[in-house]
Amino acid sequence: EDGDVLELSNGDDKICVTVFRTKLFHTEFLNMIDNNRIMISNAKIRDYTLHNLSKFASARGLRESLRFNIAYGTDANTIRELFSAAIAEVVKGSPTAIESQYELEARGIATGDDAVEWALFYYTKEVKNIYRTRQLLREAVLKLSEKAGISLATPKLLTVNHEA
């Protein structure tokens, strides 16, 4: 429907758009990042996976997640405190799309050679502000992690071949 926020994906390519106008042979979208208009033929849209972010399955809203690589050796409670502080800072600083009445969810979701991948889950009902909210949260996590001495950096590994 006109006004719906969609995430279109085709393989590795993802784009977040608002439906501007639907016509018989094509649909016009507004790119939420670049603020430009995109026209895609309706037949071509069938090749995309469509996620309608405007239609949520829960009264809480859309469950969003941001992912961060955090250095090994960082305590899980410290990470949860970091994420809680970031959400509190974003919510108090300006109007935001975060449904802050729901409890924070933070989970380690993957381990690797260099870091643990953590996800910060939150709910939003204002999907038109989804990118602004993501940007504000990422910035707050970065700023607070630097103050707390928590490394979000993933080091590059150097492999040395010792052939004689």
Side-chain angles (χ1 to χ4, degrees):
E1 297 177 9
D2 290 358
D4 280 354
V5 175
L6 305 176
E7 184 177 77
L8 306 173
S9 60
N10 189 356
D12 290 336
D13 296 329
K14 282 186 181 182
I15 187 169
C16 203
V17 297
T18 302
V19 178
F20 180 69
R21 188 178 343 199
T22 304
K23 295 195 173 195
L24 183 60
F25 295 109
H26 71 274
T27 301
E28 294 179 40
F29 299 104
L30 298 176
N31 183 328
M32 292 180 66
I33 299 293
D34 301 335
N35 197 29
N36 63 339
R37 194 171 298 186
I38 303 167
M39 289 189 339
I40 302 177
S41 74
N42 291 336
K44 180 77 173 160
I45 291 173
R46 293 185 190 119
D47 295 337
Y48 288 89
T49 300
L50 302 175
H51 298 274
N52 190 338
L53 305 181
S54 298
K55 311 287 186 212
F56 2 99
S58 167
R60 291 181 174 198
L62 177 68
R63 186 172 184 241
E64 265 283 278
S65 70
L66 291 179
R67 296 167 181 236
F68 299 91
N69 287 330
I70 298 179
Y72 279 101
T74 307
D75 179 67
N77 288 330
T78 303
I79 295 167
R80 288 187 179 93
E81 289 170 7
L82 168 71
F83 289 162
S84 292
I87 285 180
E89 183 172 307
V90 168
V91 168
K92 79 171 182 178
S94 62
T96 180
I98 297 171
E99 297 290 314
S100 57
Q101 69 271 26
Y102 300 115
E103 189 175 334
L104 164 76
E105 293 179 60
R107 304 276 185 264
I109 57 172
T111 55
D113 291 338
D114 307 322
V116 178
E117 184 177 11
W118 280 80
L120 165 59
F121 296 95
Y122 62 94
Y123 289 92
T124 182
K125 290 183 181 174
E126 297 178 37
V127 293
K128 291 188 185 224
N129 294 322
I130 202 165
Y131 277 99
R132 181 177 182 274
T133 301
R134 289 175 183 173
Q135 291 166 343
L136 290 171
L137 263 175
R138 283 187 179 113
E139 183 178 345
V141 168
L142 176 61
K143 183 176 85 172
L144 293 169
S145 71
E146 289 171 346
K147 283 183 182 178
I150 298 171
S151 175
L152 301 181
T154 303
K156 291 185 179 185
L157 295 179
L158 176 63
T159 303
V160 179
N161 187 357
H162 294 286
E163 291 184 11

